Amino acid sequence: MRVTLAIFVFDGVQILDVTGPAAVFAAANDCCASPYYDVRIVSANGGCVGSSSAVQVASQPLAGVAPGSIDILLVAGGDEAALQRLAQDWAVARWVTQAGRAASRIGSICTGVFLLAPLGVVAGRRVATHWSACARLADSYPDLEVDADSLYVEDGRVWTSAGVTTGIDMCLAMVERDLGKAVAQRIAERLVLYARRPGYQSQFSPVLQAQARAGTPFAALVEWMGAHLHEPLDVPQLAAHMAMSERSFYRKFSAEMGQTPARFVEVLRLDRVRQLLVTGKSLKEIAAQTGFSGTAPLSKAFERRYGVTPRLFRQTRA
C-alpha cells in the first residue's frame, strides 16, 4: 500500500515547515523495500512558491490533484495573513475541505492551522501552534482547545504541531505509527537529531529559557546544572562552583533568574523526570538520576507541578 501525502504551501511559507516533514517521509521511503509515502507539494496555482526565507518551492496546482486521493494532508505554516486570505479563496477552501474529509489524517505545522480553523476542518479539536500565535488562535476560534504547551498534539485523525522544527517531531511520530519504532529511530539518527521529542514535551525548555534570560556567568551555570542533576545542587555547592559567597550567589541568582536557586533546580529536575518517565526506568532509578532523595519526594513535587502522579503520567503517555 502506498500513502499519498500532500503538503500545502503558499507564498510566505516557512521553509522548514515544508522541508522538515518532507525529509522525514523521504527518509522513511528509503527504509522501505518500495516507497511507502507518495509526497506531493501542492499550492493554489502550482509552480514556484516563494518562502519567507527567499527559497522557492516547486509545487503542483490543486486543480491537478484530486482531493479524494489524499490520505494525509498537512498545511505548512508561515505568513498568517496569507493563510487567512487563502481560507477566503473559494477554490482553495473547497479543495482543502474535501481533502480534509477524505484524508485519514489531516493536520498542520506551526501556523498552518490558521487555514484549517476558519474552514471548520478541525472544529472542536485540541490543537497546537507556534507559541506566539496561541492566544490569537484561541481568541479567534473559541471552539478549539488550544494547547499552548505541547510540541504537537494528536486528537483523533487531527495532528497539529507547534513551531517550525516540531513538525519533524510530529512527522516522526506519524512514521512510527505507520512503519514502527525502529524505522522512526533510524530516521532520527539519519537526520542527526539530538533526541526524539514526544508531543507532550513543552515548547519552552527550562534550560533554554533560563539561558536566554541569564547573563554571564549564570548562562554557563544553567548548562552545568542540567548535567549534574543527580548531585545535591544546594546553595553551598552552587556558590562554590561559581566562586562566590553563598549570600552573594543567592541574591544575584534570584535577581537574575526571577526565582530562588532551590526552585529553579526543582524545575530542572521535574522536567527531566517527565522525559525519563516514558523510558521504562523505575521511579527509584529516576529519583536517583534527578537528585530526589526518594520516590515519595519526587511524586509529591511532580504532582504539585503537573497536577498528576508520575504513575498516571506514565500510563497516559506510554
Side-chain angles (χ1 to χ4, degrees):
M1 183 181 70
R2 197 167 186 185
V3 171
T4 300
L5 186 150
I7 302 176
F8 182 84
V9 300
F10 53 94
D11 284 319
V13 72
Q14 161 60 251
I15 193 64
L16 288 178
D17 290 355
V18 184
T19 57
V24 169
F25 295 118
N29 284 340
D30 289 342
C31 294
C32 300
S34 59
Y36 183 82
Y37 298 102
D38 177 13
V39 180
R40 303 184 183 188
I41 309 299
V42 300
S43 67
N45 300 311
C48 287
V49 172
S51 72
S52 59
S53 55
V55 177
Q56 293 192 325
V57 181
S59 66
Q60 297 177 253
L62 294 183
V65 181
S69 68
I70 304 302
D71 298 302
I72 301 175
L73 172 63
L74 297 177
V75 178
D79 184 354
E80 287 179 36
L83 284 162
Q84 290 167 346
R85 287 194 298 271
L86 284 166
Q88 297 172 7
D89 182 306
W90 181 85
V92 171
R94 182 171 179 269
W95 191 93
V96 170
T97 300
Q98 290 181 346
R101 289 172 180 164
S104 58
R105 289 189 196 127
I106 183 169
S108 59
I109 299 98
C110 198
T111 55
V113 70
F114 280 91
L115 175 58
L116 300 177
L119 300 181
V121 179
V122 293
R125 300 286 190 165
R126 185 166 68 94
V127 297
T129 190
H130 192 280
W131 60 265
S132 65
C134 286
R136 289 192 299 279
L137 184 64
D139 290 343
S140 300
Y141 306 100
D143 63 311
L144 298 179
E145 181 186 345
V146 179
D147 187 331
D149 192 46
S150 296
L151 296 185
Y152 62 86
V153 170
E154 177 189 358
D155 186 353
R157 66 188 189 94
V158 174
W159 295 60
T160 52
S161 78
V164 196
T165 59
T166 61
I168 293 175
D169 299 297
M170 182 178 75
C171 292
L172 274 172
M174 288 186 183
V175 170
E176 181 172 337
R177 185 70 54 80
D178 295 337
L179 301 175
K181 185 175 182 178
V183 171
Q185 188 63 32
R186 285 171 61 189
I187 295 170
E189 293 170 356
R190 177 173 175 175
L191 298 181
V192 200
L193 300 180
Y194 177 73
R196 287 194 59 199
R197 301 181 296 178
Y200 60 79
Q201 187 169 318
S202 175
Q203 294 192 52
F204 305 99
S205 160
V207 173
L208 188 61
Q209 284 184 301
Q211 288 178 327
R213 180 170 183 168
T216 304
F218 291 124
L221 175 65
V222 168
E223 184 175 357
W224 182 85
M225 292 165 71
H228 294 79
L229 292 178
H230 59 286
E231 298 181 15
L233 296 186
D234 51 18
V235 168
Q237 182 181 11
L238 296 174
H241 182 79
M242 296 299 294
M244 299 170 66
S245 71
E246 293 178 21
R247 184 175 181 179
S248 178
F249 170 79
Y250 183 92
R251 176 175 55 82
K252 291 182 178 180
F253 185 94
S254 298
E256 186 84 17
M257 308 302 293
Q259 54 189 318
T260 66
R263 174 59 178 159
F264 182 72
V265 168
E266 183 178 83
V267 169
L268 289 184
R269 283 177 169 153
L270 290 174
D271 188 62
R272 182 68 58 80
V273 168
R274 187 166 62 164
Q275 297 173 32
L276 292 174
L277 279 171
V278 295
T279 64
K281 294 180 181 293
S282 71
L283 205 57
K284 185 177 180 179
E285 289 177 294
I286 294 173
Q289 290 183 24
T290 54
F292 285 93
S293 59
T295 59
L298 183 156
S299 297
K300 184 177 180 180
F302 190 92
E303 188 169 3
R304 182 175 62 245
R305 177 164 177 79
Y306 297 116
V308 295
T309 64
R311 182 184 298 275
L312 181 58
F313 181 89
R314 193 201 296 269
Q315 289 174 347
T316 58
R317 305 297 181 178

